[in-house]
Amino acid sequence: EGIVRVLVVDGKEVDQLGAGKTGALVVNQTPFYGESGGQTGDRGVIKTAEGAVFRVTDTQKRVGDLIVHLGLVESGTLHPADAVELQVDHARRSGNRIHHSATHLLHEALRITLGSHVAQKGSLVEPNRLRFDVSHNKAMSPDEIAQVESIANEMVLQNDAVTTRLMSVDAAIAEGAMALFGEKYGDEVRVVSMGRNTHGAGRPIYSLELCGGTHVSRTGDIGLIKVVSESASAAGVRRIEALAGPAARHYLEEQDRRVLAVVASMKTAATEIVPRIETLIEDRRKLERELADARKQLALGGGAAQGDEGITAVNGIKVMTRV
């Protein structure tokens, strides 16, 4: 519950916002998460007891911690000082939580796999995917990607609690928390930790970062993490794109359907599909080489003609023909 403080249309404060109008509103308190740290803003609805409904299509953080709700009035009219009920789209929020926590696990898995020089350079967290850039000067090999996935999913399966604490920046850094590139932090920060470090002695937790985003309660809530691409973003920066939870499961199910379709069309077992495709590719290359040779021979006059074979005289002029 909250009280409307300000209504804004086209950058100007207004005294009411009616049905069909788009605008922004600020409430004295809100459960909506404003876009920050790469995580997209919440969506949902804000209602009054009189029947006004404001559909929130985006939530932004402005001027420090000021949360601004952007959207459309679907019915009724909103006024400053109206008492409202705020309802976050929890399905969307759940997707954001899963992918944000997965980002933390992948970040640490990359540091374990590639080295401590890896640092996050920016991210995007959405309900159905995640993307983040990290410092690394060369492309990852398939084995490295597989190891990153394995380490991250190992922590998912451990189902350890995700904890958050408020502390000073200096205390957080002294404890080993990672501050992310481009983020601005106040005197007091939120520290998110998850999991156990099972890959050697050292700090007792697996991931420790300064973060104001939303997260799952336990790593097991993530369900599954799947890296879907790794590419260059800039000089010395690699871009990782991944899926988590239901989005990752649906992706793998679709991949499985594609494999089964190929298996059916080629009439072979799934375990034999890779060597079968490799054989077909090699056969095609061989045929292409033979075809190129045949075309070359034809262009040179056949290559097999000897002596006067195929030569006839036309009005005293010798003519050789090939078909």
Side-chain angles (χ1 to χ4, degrees):
E1 296 179 347
I3 303 294
V4 176
R5 293 303 192 198
V6 179
L7 297 171
V8 177
V9 175
D10 296 330
K12 298 180 180 180
E13 188 174 344
V14 296
D15 57 9
Q16 66 176 26
L17 194 61
K21 299 293 185 178
T22 59
L25 63 86
V26 176
V27 187
N28 66 324
Q29 58 184 13
T30 179
F32 283 72
Y33 179 84
E35 181 176 330
S36 179
Q39 180 176 329
T40 55
D42 278 333
R43 297 178 183 176
V45 295
I46 298 176
K47 302 178 179 179
T48 68
E50 291 73 26
V53 177
F54 182 81
R55 178 70 55 181
V56 180
T57 56
D58 191 16
T59 307
Q60 294 285 323
K61 183 182 289 187
R62 304 276 175 79
V63 192
D65 293 330
L66 181 67
I67 303 300
V68 179
H69 309 80
L70 309 173
L72 167 72
V73 179
E74 295 184 339
S75 62
T77 301
L78 285 166
H79 305 86
D82 280 350
V84 292
E85 180 182 275
L86 302 96
Q87 300 175 357
V88 173
D89 181 339
H90 289 287
R92 190 173 188 279
R93 165 76 72 84
S94 178
N96 274 339
R97 281 198 299 258
I98 288 171
H99 283 90
H100 204 151
S101 295
T103 299
H104 282 221
L105 295 187
L106 282 171
H107 189 195
E108 188 67 14
L110 283 161
R111 289 172 59 80
I112 291 172
T113 301
L114 303 178
S116 59
H117 65 279
V118 171
Q120 186 172 318
K121 297 295 183 180
S123 68
L124 172 68
V125 175
E126 294 184 334
N128 296 312
R129 68 177 182 131
L130 69 89
R131 183 191 75 210
F132 66 106
D133 296 343
V134 293
S135 54
H136 189 56
N137 57 10
K138 63 179 180 179
M140 293 175 62
S141 69
D143 287 343
E144 287 173 333
I145 294 174
Q147 182 177 349
V148 167
E149 283 188 350
S150 178
I151 293 172
N153 281 300
E154 177 186 324
M155 289 308 306
V156 170
L157 292 174
Q158 286 178 355
N159 196 30
D160 285 320
V162 176
T163 62
T164 60
R165 292 173 293 160
L166 292 177
M167 54 200 307
S168 70
V169 174
D170 291 342
I173 298 299
E175 194 169 307
M178 292 187 61
L180 300 185
F181 174 82
E183 288 294 296
K184 295 181 180 180
Y185 301 102
D187 294 333
E188 189 176 58
V189 294
R190 184 167 174 262
V191 180
V192 179
S193 60
M194 57 184 77
R196 301 185 301 271
N197 184 1
T198 60
H199 295 272
R203 56 188 176 80
I205 50 180
Y206 179 78
S207 173
L208 183 66
E209 294 188 17
L210 307 185
C211 180
T214 62
H215 289 278
V216 296
S217 298
R218 307 188 70 87
T219 59
D221 297 339
I222 297 171
L224 173 69
I225 299 174
K226 176 63 182 175
V227 175
V228 296
S229 75
E230 188 271 351
S231 60
S233 174
V237 178
R238 306 300 298 181
R239 172 160 291 177
I240 309 296
E241 297 190 51
L243 304 173
R249 191 184 75 247
H250 294 158
Y251 172 84
L252 292 175
E253 289 172 348
E254 185 59 32
Q255 292 290 82
D256 193 48
R257 282 192 287 271
R258 293 190 184 102
V259 171
L260 292 176
V262 173
V263 167
S265 65
M266 299 183 67
K267 296 181 173 58
T268 188
T271 54
E272 300 296 326
I273 193 66
V274 173
R276 178 75 174 120
I277 290 175
E278 290 174 344
T279 298
L280 288 174
I281 292 173
E282 183 55 37
D283 289 345
R284 176 172 178 172
R285 288 172 179 167
K286 181 179 179 180
L287 289 172
E288 288 174 345
R289 288 193 296 268
E290 292 175 352
L291 179 59
D293 290 341
R295 286 173 173 168
K296 182 177 180 180
Q297 290 178 0
L298 287 172
L300 294 175
Q306 299 292 331
D308 292 336
E309 181 183 349
I311 298 177
T312 59
V314 179
N315 294 330
I317 299 174
K318 290 182 178 181
V319 177
M320 180 175 69
T321 60
R322 290 287 184 268
V323 178

